[in-house]
């Protein structure tokens, strides 16, 4: 029996712009998914297509038990975390000796297959390696570790990543004169943030501007803007939606002494608040028991 876990992620900056080859900054977060895999003569019935695909692609048989601190379909990369933790546990239980790079690559292929072609390598990479990651066209690079406290607010409004990506694509096609400069501005925000991550006040301001642009691109949602405005009013340095938008989660960056107050205000808006920081471990082995 082998138990492994893998973290979720948030986009700090650059979601949607990354689809057009622009850079983005993603961060692994503390909440994670725990997966126990046990060898068996047959593969037990699995409801999740991600799990079935992990066993099929690794060509092994057995059973799996999952415990998650991440809400699924909330934009926090829970499917990638499940996939990476499962592949890592299979790798250990069956002694397959796959490297982390191989696990991340296999995880991406599985996400792509299950999501019918719609997956970015960001979620699986961040979940495997942890940390802060600069995502650009064909590469992902870990940034130096730093303590970046953030607050996540989950609107609980279901969203559809494919629909949101299509909405931006339609605007790029129908109104390039408007949409392109917005995507270029997100790139400029990401590049400025990259050199200012230690200045929480500036990071907050950049988040505010990034949120306004994502709203202008049509991927906002009243429930997200409500939380973003409430967080700012409670003293956050800044806030924005994170991930695909249209529902799902927002993030805020706050002065450390105000984080509980901002979390309280988010909860008072009927949203789930999580105070967290960067996870630097990525996929890791847990003690069985
Ligand atoms: C979704 O979490 C982020 C998007 O940029 C899509 C992607 O990067 O695959 C909207």
């Amino acid at each position: 029996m082998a138990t492994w876990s893998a973290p979720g992620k948030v986009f700090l900056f650059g979601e949607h712009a990354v689809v057009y080859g622009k850079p983005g900054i993603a961060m692994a977060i503390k909440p994670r998914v725990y997966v126990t895999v046990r060898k068996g003569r047959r593969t037990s019935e699995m409801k999740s297509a991600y799990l079935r695909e992990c066993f099929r692609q690794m060509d092994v048989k057995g059973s799996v038990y999952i415990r998650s601190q991440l809400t699924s379909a909330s934009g926090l990369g829970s499917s990638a975390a499940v996939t990476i933790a499962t592949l890592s546990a299979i790798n250990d239980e069956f002694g397959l000796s796959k490297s982390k790079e191989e696990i991340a690559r296999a995880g991406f292929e599985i996400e792509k297959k299950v999501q019918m072609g719609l997956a970015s390598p960001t979620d699986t990479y961040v979940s495997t390696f942890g940390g802060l990651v600069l995502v650009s066209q064909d590469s992902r690079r870990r940034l130096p570790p730093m303590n970046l406290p953030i607050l996540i607010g989950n609107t609980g409004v279901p969203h559809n990543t494919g629909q949101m990506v299509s909405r931006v694509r339609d605007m790029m096609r129908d109104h390039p004169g408007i949409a392109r400069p917005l995507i270029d501005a997100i790139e400029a925000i990401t590049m400025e943030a990259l050199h200012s991550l230690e200045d929480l006040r500036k990071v907050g301001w950049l988040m505010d501007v990034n949120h306004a642009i994502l709203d202008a691109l049509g991927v906002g949602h009243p429930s997200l803007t409500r939380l973003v405005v409430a967080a700012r009013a409670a003293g956050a340095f800044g806030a924005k939606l994170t991930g695909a938008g249209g529902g799902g989660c927002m993030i805020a960056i706050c002065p450390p002494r105000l984080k509980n107050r901002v979390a309280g205000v988010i909860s008072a808006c009927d949203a789930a608040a999580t105070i967290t920081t960067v996870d630097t471990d990525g996929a890791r082995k847990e003690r069985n028991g």
Side-chain angles (χ1 to χ4, degrees), residues 1 15 17 24 52 75 103 111 142 156 171 202 219 231 243 245 257 264-265:
M1 177 162 92
E15 52 272 90
R52 286 198 300 272
I103 298 274
E111 285 235 299
R142 274 193 80 176
M171 190 167 170
K202 178 148 184 212
V219 297
R257 71 192 161 81
V265 165

Side-chain angles (χ1 to χ4, degrees), residues 73-76 157-161 163-164 242-249:
S74 61
L76 299 180
V157 174
H159 69 149
N160 181 319
T161 301
Q163 238 170 42
M164 294 301 116
T242 183
C249 292

Side-chain angles (χ1 to χ4, degrees), residues 167-206:
R167 194 170 286 179
V168 176
R169 188 195 53 211
D170 292 351
M171 190 167 170
M172 286 288 264
R173 184 193 59 214
D174 300 337
H175 308 281
I178 299 172
R180 270 210 206 110
L182 294 176
I183 294 289
D184 289 345
I186 293 180
E187 176 181 25
I189 289 168
T190 301
M191 293 318 289
E192 228 175 294
L194 190 59
H195 302 292
S196 324
L197 286 173
E198 277 167 39
D199 180 348
L200 298 190
R201 194 177 289 277
K202 178 148 184 212
V203 170
W205 169 69
L206 290 167

Side-chain angles (χ1 to χ4, degrees), residues 107-126:
F108 171 49
E109 292 305 325
I110 288 169
E111 285 235 299
K112 221 163 49 173
K113 177 154 188 211
V114 175
Q115 295 165 197
M116 284 173 274
L118 193 96
S120 88
T122 305
D123 290 16
T124 35
Y125 182 92
V126 173

Side-chain angles (χ1 to χ4, degrees), residues 19-37:
V19 175
Y20 299 92
K22 307 293 190 190
I25 303 173
M27 175 178 127
I29 53 174
K30 296 282 183 197
R32 44 179 59 229
V33 175
Y34 297 79
V35 176
T36 300
V37 166

Side-chain angles (χ1 to χ4, degrees), residues 225-272:
T225 296
R226 181 169 176 233
L227 297 188
V228 162
V229 170
R232 289 176 195 155
F237 286 135
K240 66 182 273 292
L241 70 83
T242 183
C249 292
M250 51 74 72
I251 51 173
I253 194 132
C254 342
R257 71 192 161 81
L258 292 184
K259 59 181 194 274
N260 289 323
R261 183 164 105 189
V262 178
V265 165
I266 298 284
S267 306
C269 293
D270 295 329

